[in-house]
Amino acid sequence: MSDIFREVDEEVRQDHAKNMWTKYGVYIIGLAVLVVVSVSGFRGWQYYSQKQAEKAGVAYLENMVLVDNGEDAKALEAFRTMSQKGSSGFYLLSKFQEAGLLAKAGNDDEAVTIYDELADNTGLEGSLRNLARFRAALLLSNTASFKQVEDRIGELATTGNPWRQSAQEILAITAFRTGDLIKAEEIFVELSTDPETPNDMRTRATAMISIITPQLPAPAPKTQETKPDAQ
């Protein structure tokens, strides 16, 4: 008797499966095709992306050859064109090269604008954003106010930041240029006594202290306290 129930149950399952296939088979096939196409498309995109990256890498190196050969004008146009074709990888590096060549040609304002754009690009890796911020500050240290340079430096000059000593040197140079000798000496002294300051930078800081110190106003003489007459 139990065998009959098993046979009936199996037939019901088969009939149910047939009905389900008749009703939903076309969708199942479509889903399977979609999965296959998606996987193939992803692999195709990977291949395409790899080829595009290789192509960009070759173009970047060719542009660097122009720089090495002293053809700065051609290199600038080449990097500018390349930087407009994408927003990652070699295209972003091309923006750095474009800004560097502009600065080299004396177009500091244009270079700073590009560096600021890179520094504000949240999609860019942190160390590259800091590099852009540092380079903008370095260019501005020649002409801008201390406040403007300090705003660009930001947290780069704080303790524990790998850019700290270089950022402090820029601030010290800016303070000296703008006539704030007390601030300049303060930062240079900090650099000269910091055990983490590179030797060449410490040498520069010490030399600047020897230049600044004689120009500082003489400290006010200490007034002696008059003791009250003993009664």
Side-chain angles (χ1 to χ4, degrees), residues 216-229:
L216 293 175
K222 293 183 179 179
T223 57
Q224 294 182 345
E225 294 183 3
T226 56
K227 296 181 180 180
D229 296 334

Side-chain angles (χ1 to χ4, degrees), residues 14 36 39 52 67 81 97 101 103 133 135 146 159 171 192:
Q14 289 177 0
V36 171
V39 172
Q52 289 298 105
V67 176
T81 299
Q97 294 296 339
L101 288 167
R133 187 175 292 110
R135 288 191 172 180
F146 183 86
T159 302
L171 289 175
S192 68

Side-chain angles (χ1 to χ4, degrees), residues 133-149:
R133 187 175 292 110
F134 176 81
R135 288 191 172 180
L138 183 60
L139 290 176
L140 288 172
S141 66
N142 296 320
T143 56
S145 68
F146 183 86
K147 180 66 166 58
Q148 288 174 310
V149 175

Side-chain angles (χ1 to χ4, degrees), residues 9 19 45 97-98 104-105 129 170 181-182 187 214 224:
D9 185 55
N19 291 335
W45 174 251
Q97 294 296 339
E98 179 186 353
K104 185 178 179 181
R129 294 179 66 191
I170 289 178
L181 299 184
I182 295 176
I187 301 174
Q224 294 182 345

Side-chain angles (χ1 to χ4, degrees), residues 7-208:
E7 290 176 6
V8 170
D9 185 55
E10 184 65 28
E11 287 181 2
V12 170
R13 288 181 182 180
Q14 289 177 0
D15 289 342
H16 181 69
K18 288 178 182 178
N19 291 335
M20 290 291 291
W21 181 258
T22 300
K23 189 173 182 180
Y24 300 109
V26 64
Y27 300 109
I28 295 172
I29 293 173
L31 179 60
V33 171
L34 180 61
V35 170
V36 171
V37 170
S38 297
V39 172
S40 300
F42 177 69
R43 289 176 178 172
W45 174 251
Q46 281 185 316
Y47 177 79
Y48 172 78
S49 298
Q50 180 181 348
K51 289 300 180 183
Q52 289 298 105
E54 291 174 356
K55 183 179 178 181
V58 170
Y60 185 87
L61 291 176
E62 288 176 346
N63 295 344
M64 287 302 299
V65 170
L66 293 175
V67 176
D68 292 340
N69 292 338
E71 300 180 74
D72 289 356
K74 288 183 179 180
L76 175 59
E77 287 305 313
F79 279 123
R80 178 173 288 156
T81 299
M82 186 174 181
S83 68
Q84 295 170 352
K85 291 183 178 179
S87 58
S88 62
F90 288 106
Y91 302 116
L92 284 173
L93 290 178
S94 294
K95 295 290 287 184
F96 276 98
Q97 294 296 339
E98 179 186 353
L101 288 167
L102 283 169
K104 185 178 179 181
N107 299 318
D108 288 0
D109 290 344
E110 291 182 62
V112 168
T113 298
I114 294 175
Y115 284 136
D116 283 346
E117 290 174 359
L118 289 167
D120 292 337
N121 186 345
T122 56
L124 195 59
E125 201 275 328
S127 61
L128 290 177
R129 294 179 66 191
N130 286 338
L131 174 61
R133 187 175 292 110
F134 176 81
R135 288 191 172 180
L138 183 60
L139 290 176
L140 288 172
S141 66
N142 296 320
T143 56
S145 68
F146 183 86
K147 180 66 166 58
Q148 288 174 310
V149 175
E150 188 178 37
D151 288 344
R152 290 305 197 295
I153 290 292
E155 73 277 5
L156 297 184
T158 58
T159 302
N161 194 298
W163 291 91
R164 180 165 60 93
Q165 286 81 12
S166 296
Q168 285 180 315
E169 186 175 40
I170 289 178
L171 289 175
I173 291 171
T174 305
F176 177 76
R177 179 184 58 79
T178 55
D180 191 347
L181 299 184
I182 295 176
K183 186 68 174 179
E185 185 193 43
E186 175 189 324
I187 301 174
F188 279 127
V189 168
E190 185 177 348
L191 280 172
S192 68
T193 57
D194 186 347
E196 296 182 359
T197 299
N199 289 332
D200 57 343
M201 190 180 293
R202 181 179 290 106
T203 300
R204 292 195 298 271
T206 303
M208 288 301 298

